[in-house]
Amino acid sequence: MSRKTSTPTDVLERPEDQKMPIGSAFAYGLQHVLTMYGGIIAPPLIIGSAAHADPAKMGLLIACCLFVGGLATLLQTIGIPFFGSKLPLVQGVSFAGVATMLAIVNQGDGITGIFGSILIASLIGLVVAPFFAQILRFFPPVVTGVVITTIGLSLLPVAAGWIVGNDPKAPDFASPANVGLAAITLFFIVLFSKIGNAALSRLSILLSLIIGTVIAALLGKADFSHVFDGQIFAFPTPFAFGLPTFPVAGIISMVIVILVTMTETTADILAVGEIVGTKVDRKRIANGLRADMLSSAVAPVFNSFTQTAFAQNVGLVAITKIKSRWAVAAGGVVLIVLGLFPVLGRIVAAIPGGVLGGAGIVLFGTVAASGIRTLSRVNYEDNMNLVIVATSIGFGILPEVNSAIYANFPSWFQVIFNSSISSAALMAIVLNLVFNHWTRGNAQDASVFAAAGTRAIPTATIRTLRDGDRYADGKLIDSDGNEVPVVDEAAH
């Protein structure tokens, strides 16, 4: 007599653990790299220029950021005990700290002061990460939906910047040709998504970027002439800019940045967990935050900056439906290779901004749509959740509408509230506490901002229903699957 065995539920394969062929994994991984490449090289370009780095140092800085981003991605996706969320999250240099790092450079501490401040602040973040993860219960759908929606909306200006260009004085700024390239790229994304072939649909972003770049090259809008300028191979040299220094003001400012990046990473972990359809608990968030902080602490050694999850790649996971963390891990390997071979990075950097912007419209819009889907599950009846959503999104988008709104506030304040993601998250958390946790003093009757009261169905209507009747797709269906006609009272 054979004994029946059962498989424990905790060993069942999760969506993010799904294996795939190596070739497919690297194809999707490359798509992730192309999606975030412009974002990961922008901070080193900005900081390097402010620090008056020569072209060789600038190239080294970019290569180091790619290299460290790849290592951080592997740590986050593959994970080791206590480090890594094991979710499909791409890591890279965070935009949140750019303003603070510029302030450190301008105060005379230079790029070594930035590295020292990041090192100490990241070690502090590593210590507080497990405690930070305890706030998970303060991230219900009304909060996570706000944050995810704001992530998508706040990234759309990045796509617009790619399309029009970032230099208003450039002769091709906002040129119809650049807008046309974005439109062509967008067209092919929609086309490949429409085609019934699943492989083409999942690779729609990558294929559209390639086609858009080829068309741009034929039109003379893609410049590959500088691809072979500089070193072909360059291993990141530790402390290539000198040993770090530790300015107290810089450290305090970077601690604030670290808290902001931890808030953003928590939101991204929750967002990708929602998209993948997997369980995200406090332990997993703590492991993800520890990976962030360890990567950020190691980054200055290899001439890079604070690391965080890239929100645009969360959108790529949503649109491609490729939930495997191994595809993103392959992208981490691609980033490491790009960091070791700057010539390959220069090829990717030659993709025109208009092409990137066309893809960004879909990617970032998908993130916002995922947030809206989360908000659709929120209960708005007889509560103030509508006020929480409206106020938090509006407050978060303010810096995107007018970047000068906090220009006269202290730098630490700007670091927090010039980030749409962190400001929306903070507002949503506070309002959720005020209305849904500290309920003492709440009005008994809903305000004019609340949704309509509880639904009610007349008794006469209930009496006409029979066992097995159900309402689906706008139709009343009986237990045998036949449609029951719905007529107005006069006809009845």
Side-chain angles (χ1 to χ4, degrees):
M1 181 177 178
S2 62
R3 185 173 61 184
K4 185 178 180 180
T5 60
S6 60
T7 303
T9 56
D10 59 345
V11 299
L12 294 177
E13 185 177 62
R14 301 172 301 185
E16 65 271 25
D17 294 332
Q18 181 183 3
K19 300 294 193 300
M20 58 173 48
I22 293 179
S24 299
F26 275 95
Y28 295 126
L30 177 60
Q31 188 168 238
H32 274 287
V33 172
L34 291 173
T35 300
M36 52 85 73
Y37 189 84
I40 198 173
I41 68 171
L45 283 172
I46 296 169
I47 303 304
S49 299
H52 306 293
D54 58 41
K57 290 289 187 181
M58 185 74 80
L60 176 62
L61 200 60
I62 293 172
C64 288
C65 288
L66 294 170
F67 180 79
V68 173
L71 292 178
T73 299
L74 292 180
L75 179 62
Q76 189 69 270
T77 54
I78 298 176
I80 59 176
F82 305 107
F83 294 91
S85 64
K86 296 184 180 180
L87 285 167
L89 287 169
V90 179
Q91 302 290 115
V93 179
S94 170
F95 271 102
V98 170
T100 298
M101 291 187 284
L102 286 174
I104 294 173
V105 170
N106 294 332
Q107 288 168 2
D109 295 305
I111 200 165
T112 56
I114 292 176
F115 291 145
S117 300
I118 291 174
L119 180 59
I120 299 300
S122 300
L123 292 175
I124 294 173
L126 187 60
V127 173
V128 305
F131 306 100
F132 196 87
Q134 300 304 311
I135 67 172
L136 181 60
R137 69 189 184 94
F138 299 120
F139 280 83
V142 70
V143 174
T144 57
V146 164
V147 174
I148 299 168
T149 302
T150 306
I151 289 173
L153 295 177
S154 65
L155 287 171
L156 285 171
V158 175
W162 284 339
I163 295 172
V164 303
N166 295 313
D167 183 7
K169 297 180 180 179
D172 63 342
F173 180 76
S175 69
N178 290 341
V179 177
L181 285 175
I184 290 171
T185 305
L186 181 60
F187 167 79
F188 278 104
I189 291 173
V190 174
L191 177 64
F192 287 128
S193 299
K194 173 67 175 176
I195 293 175
N197 188 293
L200 287 177
S201 179
R202 290 177 174 178
L203 288 172
S204 59
I205 301 294
L206 175 60
L207 294 174
S208 299
L209 287 173
I210 294 173
I211 293 173
T213 302
V214 170
I215 293 174
L218 294 175
L219 296 175
K221 291 293 183 179
D223 183 10
F224 293 93
S225 62
H226 299 290
V227 165
F228 293 102
D229 293 351
Q231 293 177 299
I232 302 298
F233 175 88
F235 188 86
T237 303
F239 301 119
F241 292 82
L243 294 175
T245 57
F246 306 98
V248 175
I251 293 172
I252 295 173
S253 297
M254 286 309 303
V255 167
I256 297 173
V257 171
I258 286 296
L259 294 176
V260 171
T261 59
M262 291 173 75
T263 302
E264 293 181 353
T265 296
T266 299
D268 287 331
I269 291 174
L270 291 169
V272 81
E274 182 78 22
I275 291 168
V276 169
T278 191
K279 181 180 179 181
V280 174
D281 53 18
R282 296 176 183 177
K283 180 180 178 181
R284 205 165 193 183
I285 291 177
N287 290 344
L289 293 177
R290 275 193 288 259
D292 245 19
M293 294 301 100
L294 180 60
S295 301
S296 296
V298 172
V301 178
F302 291 100
N303 319 296
S304 188
F305 311 110
T306 50
Q307 302 292 305
T308 190
F310 265 54
Q312 50 261 58
N313 294 86
V314 174
L316 186 60
V317 173
I319 196 171
T320 62
K321 303 296 190 294
I322 301 298
K323 303 174 181 179
S324 173
R325 59 191 172 102
W326 302 107
V328 176
V333 174
V334 173
L335 281 172
I336 292 173
V337 172
L338 288 174
L340 294 175
F341 292 91
V343 62
L344 299 179
R346 290 191 291 270
I347 293 175
V348 179
I351 296 178
V355 176
L356 288 173
I361 292 173
V362 179
L363 292 171
F364 306 153
T366 302
V367 176
S370 297
I372 294 171
R373 182 177 60 186
T374 300
L375 290 174
S376 69
R377 300 202 302 268
V378 175
N379 177 25
Y380 296 99
E381 296 178 354
D382 295 324
N383 56 47
M384 299 299 288
N385 282 338
L386 193 63
V387 173
I388 297 174
V389 173
T391 306
S392 302
I393 292 179
F395 183 70
I397 294 301
L398 277 179
E400 302 297 336
V401 176
N402 192 327
S403 59
I405 189 169
Y406 302 124
N408 294 320
F409 284 73
S411 59
W412 64 265
F413 188 95
Q414 294 183 45
V415 169
I416 297 173
F417 292 101
N418 268 338
S419 167
S420 291
I421 300 170
S422 59
S423 57
L426 290 172
M427 179 63 76
I429 291 169
V430 170
L431 292 183
N432 180 57
L433 289 173
V434 169
F435 290 119
N436 294 331
H437 287 266
W438 304 329
T439 56
R440 184 176 180 180
N442 284 5
Q444 294 298 317
D445 298 321
S447 79
V448 294
F449 297 104
T454 305
R455 294 168 58 199
I457 299 176
T459 304
T461 302
I462 294 296
R463 289 172 179 167
T464 65
L465 300 178
R466 299 177 182 177
D467 289 341
D469 288 350
R470 66 186 188 278
Y471 192 74
D473 298 326
K475 300 176 181 179
L476 182 63
I477 309 296
D478 65 18
S479 58
D480 296 323
N482 301 315
E483 182 180 353
V484 179
V486 178
V487 297
D488 58 31
E489 186 176 352
H492 184 267

